[in-house]
């Protein structure tokens, strides 16, 4: 034990662990995020508002029946959250997705929201993208939420069937049409009659989550909710 600690202190001297949000060195006992960043993340606290009545939920009004629309934090460009999500998505820091999911899941359990979900389904990546990146960042958040809420999750219930072109130069309607056809329920029996929480890392327009939710409802899901790590405010 002493030897292991001495060794980890020694390794820490050469490769200091830094906070994935602010890049300051971590203190002993801190994991992935420093205490200051954890305290100062721009939490939305949408789960403390009346169900389905918050700025994110309102974006789905009139489009799809949504039980809960939740996001852990606000997405702020050039800030800690953007840095954190970049680490999760492109720098192989899968653990941060699991950790955020666990923390958020514990909060949702505390205010009795966990009881509203039977299954957690992450937004799938196209297989080609998955092979290139090696993992789906939304899976890590789903896995963490599953641990925090004791609700099962499935990476195989939904799949992406067509490769989508880069969506950056399309307008909102085109973007919606672009992803609308590509989500398919691969295991209809696993979603039938279930109350499903669809999760993604970042919500920008909501078109992707909307397409996933529509596919799940069409396949017989009893109801859908969505949750993201971060959501951009318009
Ligand atoms: Zn920090």
């Amino acid at each position: 034990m002493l030897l292991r600690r001495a060794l980890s202190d020694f390794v820490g001297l050469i490769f200091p662990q830094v906070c994935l949000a602010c890049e300051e060195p971590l203190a002993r006992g801190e994991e992935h995020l420093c205490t200051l960043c954890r305290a100062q993340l721009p939490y939305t606290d949408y789960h403390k508002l009346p169900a389905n009545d918050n700025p994110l939920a309102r974006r789905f009004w009139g489009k799809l029946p949504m039980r809960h629309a939740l996001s852990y934090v606000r997405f702020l460009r050039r800030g800690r959250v953007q840095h954190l999500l970049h680490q999760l998505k492109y720098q192989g820091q899968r653990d941060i997705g699991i950790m955020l999911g666990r923390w958020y899941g514990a909060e949702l359990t505390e205010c009795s929201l966990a009881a509203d979900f039977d299954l957690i389904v992450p937004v799938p990546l196209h297989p080609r993208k998955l092979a290139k990146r090696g993992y789906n960042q939304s899976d890590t958040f789903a896995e963490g939420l599953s641990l925090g809420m004791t609700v099962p999750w499935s990476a195989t219930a939904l799949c992406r069937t067509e490769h989508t072109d880069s969506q950056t130069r399309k307008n909102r309607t085109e973007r919606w049409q672009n992803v609308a056809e590509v989500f398919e329920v691969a295991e209809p029996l696993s979603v039938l009659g279930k109350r499903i929480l669809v999760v993604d890392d970042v919500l920008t327009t909501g078109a992707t989550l909307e397409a996933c939710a529509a596919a799940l409802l069409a396949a017989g899901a009893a109801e859908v909710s969505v949750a993201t790590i971060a959501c951009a405010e318009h």
Side-chain angles (χ1 to χ4, degrees):
M1 191 62 202
L2 267 177
L3 181 66
R4 191 188 294 172
R5 174 166 290 178
L7 192 66
S8 102
D9 283 353
F10 178 68
V11 171
L13 279 176
I14 307 168
F15 304 107
Q17 296 277 313
V18 298
C19 169
L20 295 180
C22 71
E23 297 194 318
E24 290 293 321
L26 289 177
R28 182 177 287 163
E30 290 176 341
E31 265 185 277
H32 311 302
L33 264 189
C34 72
T35 309
L36 193 66
C37 281
R38 192 177 172 186
Q40 293 184 344
L41 282 180
Y43 299 105
T44 69
D45 283 335
Y46 288 162
H47 57 288
K48 294 175 184 165
L49 299 174
N52 208 29
D53 190 1
N54 62 56
L56 171 57
R58 278 180 213 131
R59 291 192 221 173
F60 298 102
W61 284 5
K63 294 177 184 158
L64 275 176
M66 202 68 88
R67 176 79 179 263
H68 299 285
L70 303 164
S71 183
Y72 195 24
V73 298
R74 287 186 182 85
F75 182 81
L76 304 171
R77 236 167 248 291
R78 290 181 292 277
R80 288 187 175 113
V81 172
Q82 187 181 28
H83 192 70
L84 197 58
L85 289 170
H86 184 85
Q87 298 291 313
L88 166 66
K89 203 167 172 175
Y90 302 110
Q91 300 297 316
Q93 301 283 358
R94 307 160 69 146
D95 289 352
I96 189 67
I98 298 174
M99 194 176 74
L100 292 170
R102 244 179 35 222
W103 288 346
Y104 196 33
E107 281 194 41
L108 297 179
T109 303
E110 226 169 85
C111 54
S112 307
L113 286 190
D116 289 346
F117 314 122
D118 302 315
L119 182 69
I120 302 166
V121 173
V123 170
L125 278 184
H126 189 276
R128 250 174 297 174
K129 220 175 202 178
L130 185 63
K132 201 170 149 204
R133 195 174 295 163
Y135 63 99
N136 176 359
Q137 70 279 1
S138 300
D139 284 358
T140 67
F141 188 48
E143 187 182 340
L145 282 170
S146 172
L147 291 168
M149 299 198 289
T150 333
V151 170
W153 74 285
S154 166
T156 48
L158 261 186
C159 65
R160 235 182 234 258
T161 53
E162 290 292 322
H163 195 67
T164 49
D165 297 330
S166 170
Q167 300 196 348
T168 45
R169 264 171 296 165
K170 297 194 169 76
N171 68 30
R172 194 174 189 283
T173 316
E174 286 168 338
R175 217 178 286 158
W176 157 243
Q177 286 164 346
N178 187 238
V179 292
E181 314 109 52
V182 301
F183 294 104
E184 217 173 73
V185 175
E187 298 165 354
L189 277 180
S190 72
V191 306
L192 192 66
K194 300 261 175 73
R195 299 164 307 158
I196 297 180
L197 177 64
V198 190
V199 304
D200 207 354
D201 55 343
V202 189
L203 181 140
T204 45
T205 65
T208 303
L209 281 166
E210 204 176 319
C212 290
L216 288 162
L217 286 172
E223 60 180 38
V224 286
S225 297
V226 295
T228 58
I229 297 175
C231 102
E233 286 193 335
H234 291 278

